[in-house]
Amino acid sequence: GALSAMRLAIIGAGLAGLACAKRLRALGMEARLFDKGKGPSGRLASRRIATPLGEAVFDMGAQYFTVRDRDFAAQVAQWLAKDLVAPWPEAGSGAWVGVPTMAAPLKAMAANHDIRWNTFVGGVSREGRVWRLHLKEGDEAPFDAVIIALPAEQAMPLLALNDIDFMNRSAASVSQPCWTGLFAFDAPLETSSPVLRDGRVLAWAARNTSKPDRAGPEAWVAQAQPAWSQAHLERTPDEVADILLAELFEITGVPPRTPLASHAHRWRFARSTGLDIGPLWSPALRLGVCGDWLLAPRVESAWLSGHRLAEIMSRDLARLLDGDAA
């Protein structure tokens, strides 16, 4: 039908963009996704670091996710049936992780869609009733509708020239930064718990190897408090790694020792404020926006915003096409 012939572009192939593409397909519409990364990760990123005892693996973004919404619960049940997720009781009842890394569900979703990786979209513009995407290698056109599924700070320049209200919404969502330390050791750190929260400098420290299906040497992830990360945003990764390692020993009560591997990663836009307004859709422009920042700073919120945007678009575009046909 007319809906299936519509050309849709989604900018951003993180969880929000992929959830949107998946739901659009279920509703009879196909989308092409564009992402500046080389593969699916975003806030569900993991990192592998070589050590003398083999590769150490770290979930360096979101540490786990929770489930509240019925639709998301159905999605998690599908992931569970495919062994893409598992409970992580050490982080509390209701904590879930991807297996063997946080990005596993994302990679499975991405495998089913037309995605242009390593593709930075420098701008979008509307000419008449169609959209053009401005890429380094030339423009990609035409699209009938565009969906922006990016963090607020990255969405803002794309929205600025197209919808002032949407741009103002993105400007209202300020993300907090997070310095994250990744440390591998030659033997387990003898701690009271594999998960420690709310230290003076560290908001979170966890034994990554305590998660289900994690192999490799003893691996710890230490995430700094937002205020500390903001105050030390421009320090070098080596300086920050040394400080976070000292804080890890402090919070665990373990005598300091030399790690097999030590790395600090700066998340400039780690945690969104969450506007609690739901996805944005302009029927006049055929422009949509989704992302966790429109709801709340949770993995579930990213998925929900994309899923719900697809449902809003489908209803609205069906109505618009009926009007055009009349």
Side-chain angles (χ1 to χ4, degrees), residues 102-156:
M102 282 298 284
L106 213 56
K107 288 179 173 159
M109 289 171 83
N112 297 320
H113 293 282
D114 172 12
I115 306 177
R116 304 292 171 91
W117 298 109
N118 299 303
T119 304
F120 177 73
V121 179
V124 291
S125 58
R126 203 160 182 266
E127 294 166 16
R129 296 181 70 169
V130 300
W131 285 96
R132 302 182 80 85
L133 270 56
H134 307 298
L135 316 176
K136 277 199 187 78
E137 51 275 21
D139 288 2
E140 178 104 7
F143 290 99
D144 298 304
V146 166
I147 295 143
I148 296 172
L150 297 170
E153 288 81 359
Q154 293 166 12
M156 191 160 60

Side-chain angles (χ1 to χ4, degrees), residues 124-213:
V124 291
S125 58
R126 203 160 182 266
E127 294 166 16
R129 296 181 70 169
V130 300
W131 285 96
R132 302 182 80 85
L133 270 56
H134 307 298
L135 316 176
K136 277 199 187 78
E137 51 275 21
D139 288 2
E140 178 104 7
F143 290 99
D144 298 304
V146 166
I147 295 143
I148 296 172
L150 297 170
E153 288 81 359
Q154 293 166 12
M156 191 160 60
L158 298 180
L159 293 169
L161 298 172
N162 294 295
D163 189 304
I164 202 75
D165 176 47
F166 287 4
M167 186 206 78
N168 287 338
R169 295 284 173 88
S170 65
S173 176
V174 180
S175 295
Q176 297 173 315
C178 177
W179 270 111
T180 297
L182 312 175
F183 307 105
F185 300 96
D186 58 3
L189 302 190
E190 300 298 335
T191 62
S192 56
S193 166
V195 173
L196 300 155
R197 293 178 167 91
D198 302 325
R200 189 174 52 85
V201 169
L202 297 182
W204 168 269
R207 174 185 283 129
N208 207 83
T209 13
S210 74
K211 294 179 177 180
D213 290 3

